[in-house]
Amino acid sequence: EVQLLESGGGLVQPGGSLRLSCAASGFTFSTYAMSWVRQAPGKGLQWVSVISATDNTYYADSVRGRFTISRDNSKNTLFLQMNSLRAEDTAVYYCATDISVGSGGYFDSWGQGTLVTVSS
Amino acid sequence: DIVMSQSPDSLAVSLGERATINCKSSQSVLYSSNNKNYLAWYQQKPGQPPKLLVYWASTRESGVPDRFSGSGSGTDFTLTISSLQAADVAIYYCQQYFTTLRTFGQGTKVEIK
C-alpha cells in the first residue's frame, strides 16, 4: 500500500524559510515522479512543483525562484525548500505521486498534508 | 496557462438521483497523436486529501464505484454520478495534464438535497 507522510509544516514569519519532507513507502520511490500540490484554507487545489525520476524539476510561476524541490531516493523522501515565504503561501501542502505522461501528469496517491502558515 | 472552469460551483441532488459536473478548458487537452484527453477528476471529502477518480477523461481508477463516469473531449468534459449516495458528498475537481503547468478547476461542491 502506498503511503506518503508529510512533515515540516508550521508557523513562519513573512520572508522566512521552511523545509517540507514527504516520506514515501509501499512503492518503488525512485521510479516515480513526485509533485507538491497546495490548498489555501477554504480554497481549491494548486500544483506547486514536480520532480521527475531523473531529477528534472518544474515549478508554478508563483513559486519559481523561491521554492526548490528535491528528492533522496536512498531515504525514499521528497523535499520542498521554501524561501522568501509570503502570506499567500499559507496552505496545506500535499505530496503526491505524479503519473507523468508527456509534459504533464496526474496524481494517483496523496499524503494527508502539512499546514504552512505564513504570518507575523 | 490552460484555465479550467467548472460548473456549477455547487449543486444539491436527491439521494439516488444523477449529479452532473461540467469542466471546460481554455484550450484543447486532446493530444492528436494518441487521441487521448489529458484530463483527470478528483474527489475531496472534508478534512481529507483529494482522491483520484478518473484519468484520460473517462478511465475509472481502480476501486472507484461504477456510478462515477467521465466523458467529453477537446475542451468540454463531464463527471457524472449516476445515483448519488451519501458517501459522495464532497468537492470534485477536474485537472488538465496536457502541459507541464498542471492546472485544476475551482471545484464543485456536491450536497444532498
Side-chain angles (χ1 to χ4, degrees):
Chain A
E1 180 193 2
V2 172
Q3 291 197 355
L4 300 169
L5 184 61
E6 302 93 338
S7 60
L11 176 63
V12 61
Q13 292 188 339
S17 298
L18 215 52
R19 190 192 198 203
L20 305 184
S21 300
C22 171
S25 61
F27 65 105
T28 308
F29 178 75
S30 62
T31 65
Y32 275 74
M34 297 293 297
S35 269
W36 288 97
V37 178
R38 68 185 180 184
Q39 186 169 36
K43 302 297 184 183
L45 301 167
Q46 181 189 26
W47 172 76
V48 172
S49 180
V50 63
I51 184 167
S52 74
T54 54
D55 283 347
N56 294 314
T57 59
Y58 301 93
Y59 300 91
D61 291 346
S62 58
V63 306
R64 188 177 298 115
R66 300 188 298 124
F67 290 12
T68 303
I69 191 171
S70 61
R71 64 193 300 161
D72 184 339
N73 290 336
S74 69
K75 296 182 179 179
N76 289 347
T77 303
L78 175 72
F79 302 101
L80 186 68
Q81 177 67 44
M82 304 186 295
N83 299 330
S84 303
L85 283 161
R86 306 167 179 166
E88 54 265 35
D89 296 318
T90 294
V92 173
Y93 285 73
Y94 297 101
C95 68
T97 52
D98 190 308
I99 306 303
S100 293
V101 283
S103 300
Y106 60 91
F107 316 108
D108 73 339
S109 294
W110 298 67
Q112 290 298 313
T114 187
L115 176 62
V116 172
T117 303
V118 184
S119 175
S120 55
Chain B
D1 303 358
I2 298 179
V3 176
M4 307 300 290
S5 300
Q6 293 181 228
S7 62
D9 289 334
S10 65
L11 75 161
V13 176
S14 300
L15 289 172
E17 295 301 306
R18 179 186 301 262
T20 301
I21 301 167
N22 300 302
C23 174
K24 189 174 184 69
S25 57
S26 61
Q27 66 185 73
S28 176
V29 298
L30 173 63
Y31 192 38
S32 56
S33 67
N34 60 11
N35 202 37
K36 285 181 176 290
N37 288 282
Y38 285 51
L39 191 284
W41 288 96
Y42 302 86
Q43 174 194 64
Q44 187 177 31
K45 297 181 179 180
Q48 296 185 20
K51 173 188 174 183
L52 176 66
L53 295 177
V54 169
Y55 54 97
W56 297 129
S58 61
T59 301
R60 207 179 298 116
E61 173 73 333
S62 175
V64 173
D66 60 6
R67 63 180 180 274
F68 292 92
S69 63
S71 62
S73 185
T75 61
D76 292 280
F77 301 91
T78 299
L79 178 70
T80 301
I81 309 173
S82 61
S83 176
L84 191 74
Q85 306 299 306
D88 302 334
V89 169
I91 299 176
Y92 293 83
Y93 296 92
C94 61
Q95 178 237 332
Q96 66 79 19
Y97 48 100
F98 191 81
T99 60
T100 301
L101 200 165
R102 300 131 165 89
T103 50
F104 293 88
Q106 80 277 16
T108 295
K109 187 174 185 178
V110 174
E111 299 173 306
I112 304 296
K113 185 187 291 183

